[in-house]
Amino acid sequence: MTRLLIRLVLLTYPRDYRRAYGDEIAEVALRSRRTLPLRELAALVGGGARQRFRQARARPARAVTIVLPRPFLMATNALIVLLSGVGTGVLLARLLFRQKLGTLCAPYCVDVYVTAATPQQWALCLVLGVAVCAAAFRLLAAARRRLGIFP
Amino acid sequence: MPGPAPLREPTYFILAALLDQPRHGYAVADEVEAMSKGRVRLTAGTLYGALDRLLTEGLVLVDREETVQGRRRRYYRLSDDGRERLALEVERMEQAVAAAGAKLRGARRRSASKAATA
């Protein structure tokens, strides 16, 4: 796991938490080579999600009233969810079809957690992400069968 | 009145790792792995999630900070509350082991006497 990838995954944490603990977390993650990188990656994303939920819960009223009514932010989030869904779908497809794993999809998967600020947005991202992932996976599976993509 | 909820295993080992001396994050992860004989391997996400919660609850305190090769590193230590919480957990587990141990010994004696009579 490269330092760049860890730094990217650390974006899932809130900014102030990242500033306070980012160096330490990166150090521990980089030195724990005995564990599987994917397990480490998942744990970091999970940790970032928990921190964001904790912060959102601590200031729910302000976050909901300021962030949610803005159509531009909602549209941006929806676009990022779409990209994340496709990215995740491609990643899953590559995993399932035993292709060599690339990191091209990782930024899409991370962005969704960075921009969502409230529990409502998280829920929306989760639902849309899962739906788009399922759709992308179906499309890719069909393409694989008919066109021979991802042999 | 029931005591506090049982500690989760990673939390228990993190508190135990800080019993003898303050440690930084990586040293905590190493000590936990050594204490559990390799069974509990903390990822960075799990470790810092737990440390953050323990700091909020006042069971762990930041002892000091160091900068090593331009990177900040905190040393954590057990607070008095943390020590007390760990002692409670050890007591709870000792009681659980004693209760199950007594039953297990009884069951072994019974099966041994059955085998002897047969």
Side-chain angles (χ1 to χ4, degrees):
Chain A
M1 194 186 297
T2 62
R3 181 169 286 276
L4 178 67
L5 185 58
I6 289 177
R7 288 282 166 201
L8 201 65
V9 173
L10 280 177
L11 291 175
T12 57
Y13 286 81
R15 185 180 297 168
D16 50 349
Y17 188 89
R18 201 165 60 235
R19 280 182 182 155
Y21 293 98
D23 285 343
E24 285 183 63
I25 295 176
E27 185 191 27
V28 174
L30 275 171
R31 291 171 72 179
S32 61
R33 293 185 187 282
R34 289 152 296 178
T35 54
L36 288 173
L38 273 178
R39 180 176 168 245
E40 184 72 62
L41 215 61
L44 284 174
V45 171
R50 278 194 298 275
Q51 283 299 330
R52 282 189 179 271
F53 267 120
R54 284 180 70 175
Q55 288 206 353
R57 207 167 44 186
R59 49 172 171 74
R62 190 172 63 88
V64 169
T65 50
I66 292 175
V67 177
L68 274 182
R70 294 185 177 177
F72 175 74
L73 280 178
M74 291 297 286
T76 309
N77 273 338
L79 182 66
I80 289 168
V81 165
L82 187 75
L83 290 174
S84 303
V86 173
T88 313
V90 172
L91 195 67
L92 280 174
R94 285 186 171 188
L95 266 173
L96 287 171
F97 301 134
R98 297 174 190 281
Q99 292 285 305
K100 190 178 174 185
L101 275 178
T103 53
L104 283 175
C105 303
Y108 296 130
C109 303
V110 170
D111 277 350
V112 66
Y113 297 104
V114 177
T115 49
T118 66
Q120 288 87 343
Q121 286 184 329
W122 276 79
L124 179 70
C125 288
L126 187 67
V127 170
L128 286 178
V130 168
V132 173
C133 277
F137 182 73
R138 282 187 164 215
L139 279 173
L140 286 166
R144 176 181 174 254
R145 277 196 307 271
R146 291 178 189 176
L147 306 174
I149 301 174
F150 301 119
Chain B
M1 191 174 164
L7 293 175
R8 290 176 60 227
E9 196 171 33
T11 311
Y12 168 78
F13 275 115
I14 289 170
L15 292 180
L18 296 173
L19 258 178
D20 52 350
Q21 61 179 26
R23 293 177 200 272
H24 55 82
Y26 185 72
V28 171
D30 253 6
E31 181 67 10
V32 166
E33 193 172 334
M35 285 171 60
S36 65
K37 295 187 167 41
R39 196 167 49 81
V40 179
R41 292 181 180 180
L42 296 174
T43 59
T46 308
L47 173 64
Y48 280 92
L51 279 176
D52 192 47
R53 202 180 62 252
L54 292 169
L55 282 166
T56 308
E57 291 173 5
L59 301 181
V60 164
L61 303 169
V62 174
D63 186 67
R64 63 185 190 277
E65 288 186 20
E66 279 180 3
T67 304
V68 181
Q69 293 173 341
R71 295 191 195 105
R72 195 156 55 168
R73 173 186 275 184
R74 285 179 184 79
Y75 281 75
Y76 302 93
R77 69 179 165 85
L78 209 54
S79 69
D80 290 341
D81 285 349
R83 199 176 296 271
E84 195 177 321
R85 183 74 187 80
L86 186 64
L88 274 176
E89 184 66 12
V90 169
E91 193 181 324
R92 187 189 68 78
M93 287 197 290
E94 278 174 351
Q95 281 174 358
V97 167
K103 276 187 181 292
L104 198 61
R105 281 190 295 276
R108 278 182 187 154
R109 268 199 302 271
R110 278 193 296 277
S111 62
S113 63
K114 264 187 193 173
T117 52

